[in-house]
Amino acid sequence: MTTTATAKDTLDGRRLIVVGAGSRVGRQLAQTASAAGAELVLAGPDPAKLKETAAGLAGRAAVQPVDLADEESIAALAAHAGPFDHLVSTAAMPANGPVAALELASVRRAFAAKVIGPLLLAKHLAGQTNDGGSFTFFSGVAAWRPAPERVVMATTNGALSFLVEALAVELAPLRVNAVSPGIVDSGAWDGLGERKNAFLRGVAERNPARRVGTPDDLVQAVLYAISSPFVTGTVLHVDGGGRLA
């Protein structure tokens, strides 16, 4: 007879690095992991947001700023973190707009967040994972459902999905997976103002799941990726079927 692992079963006494811990999803993951007994290293580009996340946690957490476009910064994160069990990166830096108007600096930042940064995280931190450890990165539905003015987003998310497969083979038995969110009410759409609710309703009506996602949907997917020892090189689509609609 098998039993379903809880967050506490998975994380109690473990050391977890959360890159992007200042974002809403990263913060909720940190809160869930801390409540389950994990010790955390909170990483991201904005120290103030990381400290804000740390202040709301139940357990121990260290703060380490990191710039995924800067290899020295990633090496410093590795030196600060020491041995650990799991790394999760929610990092994203969209470079949206028509191809004719794209700025190279923005494109490079997008690739740093989704492709080059994850590769360098693996380079500098894979050797510090404890037995049974894992890396989980965030891809996105745009790779499977491209749209106008989302060329860079589609490309970076798609590249990450292939990077996860390659890393899972090279770094085995370290497990490497990705979570691919669809449209999630994580604060990313707040800029739409009064149009936000109508937009999210429209998405829910089209999605096979008939709703939009929540940050907790993504956190639960991360916990599954972390806790499942037979899952590696896999993209978990947490999009309500949005890539099919």
Side-chain angles (χ1 to χ4, degrees):
M1 179 177 179
T2 60
T3 57
T4 301
T6 66
K8 188 169 181 63
D9 295 330
T10 300
L11 295 172
D12 192 21
R14 302 295 193 271
R15 186 169 174 82
L16 179 67
I17 301 173
V18 180
V19 179
S23 69
R24 183 172 170 187
V25 173
R27 183 168 293 172
Q28 184 154 338
L29 173 62
Q31 291 170 346
T32 300
S34 182
E39 180 182 349
L40 296 173
V41 177
L42 307 177
D46 188 334
K49 289 184 178 180
L50 298 178
K51 291 175 183 177
E52 185 178 341
T53 297
L57 300 183
R60 296 176 56 189
V63 168
Q64 179 65 29
V66 69
D67 178 357
L68 294 186
D70 180 357
E71 184 169 8
E72 290 185 3
S73 175
I74 293 172
L77 171 62
H80 176 84
F84 67 97
D85 296 284
H86 305 288
L87 181 147
V88 181
S89 176
T90 69
M93 188 66 67
N96 296 329
V99 170
L102 291 174
E103 297 181 356
L104 182 57
S106 296
V107 174
R108 284 174 170 161
R109 285 195 296 272
F111 272 85
K114 290 282 190 175
V115 184
I116 299 170
L119 182 60
L120 293 176
L121 287 169
K123 172 184 175 180
H124 287 279
L125 287 139
Q128 297 174 201
T129 55
N130 297 321
D131 290 346
S134 72
F135 280 45
T136 304
F137 301 107
F138 270 47
S139 180
V141 70
W144 290 266
R145 193 173 177 82
E149 302 189 9
R150 298 293 186 270
V151 170
V152 176
M153 181 181 289
T155 303
T156 55
N157 285 323
L160 178 59
S161 71
F162 285 104
L163 176 61
V164 159
E165 293 181 353
L167 289 176
V169 172
E170 177 158 343
L171 301 181
L174 173 67
R175 295 182 301 105
V176 186
N177 294 295
V179 170
S180 177
I183 302 299
V184 175
D185 189 7
S186 63
W189 306 103
D190 291 354
L192 293 176
E194 294 180 356
R195 295 176 294 150
K196 172 185 169 180
N197 289 337
F199 168 73
L200 294 180
R201 277 198 307 272
V203 171
E205 289 169 0
R206 293 189 300 272
N207 267 0
R210 298 295 188 266
R211 71 176 183 90
V212 297
T214 68
D216 189 60
D217 291 323
L218 303 182
V219 169
Q220 294 307 313
V222 169
L223 294 179
Y224 173 79
I226 286 175
S227 65
S228 303
F230 204 50
V231 175
T232 192
T234 295
V235 178
L236 302 175
H237 293 280
V238 190
D239 59 11
R243 71 195 182 284
L244 309 173

